[in-house]
Amino acid sequence: MIEIPTGLPAELVPLSWLIGVWEGTGVIDYAIDPPADAEEGTEPTRVSREFGQRISFSHDGLPFLNYSSSSWLLPQGDETEPTPLTAETGFWRLARLHIEGDAGPGMLPGEGPRPFNTAQSVETLRNAAEGFDIEVALVHPTGVSELYLGQVKGPRIDLATDAVVRTRSAKEYAAATRLYGLVDNHLLWAWDIAALGQDLRTHASARLAKVD
């Protein structure tokens, strides 16, 4: 059963099951094909590691979720301590046209009442599949920024990149899809990527329990 926190902006109700702090473990499993000039029969290089992760979804009264994630490689072999891996941060919100009552651009305040501030008005945003279109903006410290478009329908979210921006120093990364779901009170996710010259393929997945 999904509990809706009190004081939650109406637009965040479809995403309310994400709110909280989640922690658990997952697996990286990414195959890198050999280069075109490799000897016939050369097998792909496979990156396979277990990792730990902590994810936080929160809100501050505005119609978007604040998101942050940190992850670490779990010890293997002679290793005795986890190794910091990476982090990402961003914002999740329903996709709709921003109008006069919305703040922005920049720090410009909205004019008039904030739109879509009732459950009835948010219901008008449902799409043809009876879900809600969403936008997710994520930033990585490795010089990659992603804009995902997708849908939340009940306790499931499907996302695909609409745009990826990389700094000149970033590794090659072209596209991604993500899937999130609430299963037996756990947050399960899977992330496929097209990177390092490879097509879109399995990259990582995890199962997280709510800890706060």
Side-chain angles (χ1 to χ4, degrees), residues 24-38:
T25 60
V27 176
I28 302 164
D29 186 15
Y30 193 63
I32 302 174
D33 295 334
D37 59 356

Side-chain angles (χ1 to χ4, degrees), residues 123-146:
E123 281 296 310
T124 67
L125 297 174
R126 283 192 184 272
N127 58 30
E130 293 301 314
F132 294 91
D133 295 327
I134 62 173
E135 297 175 355
V136 175
L138 299 181
V139 178
H140 303 256
T142 52
V144 173
S145 298
E146 302 171 275

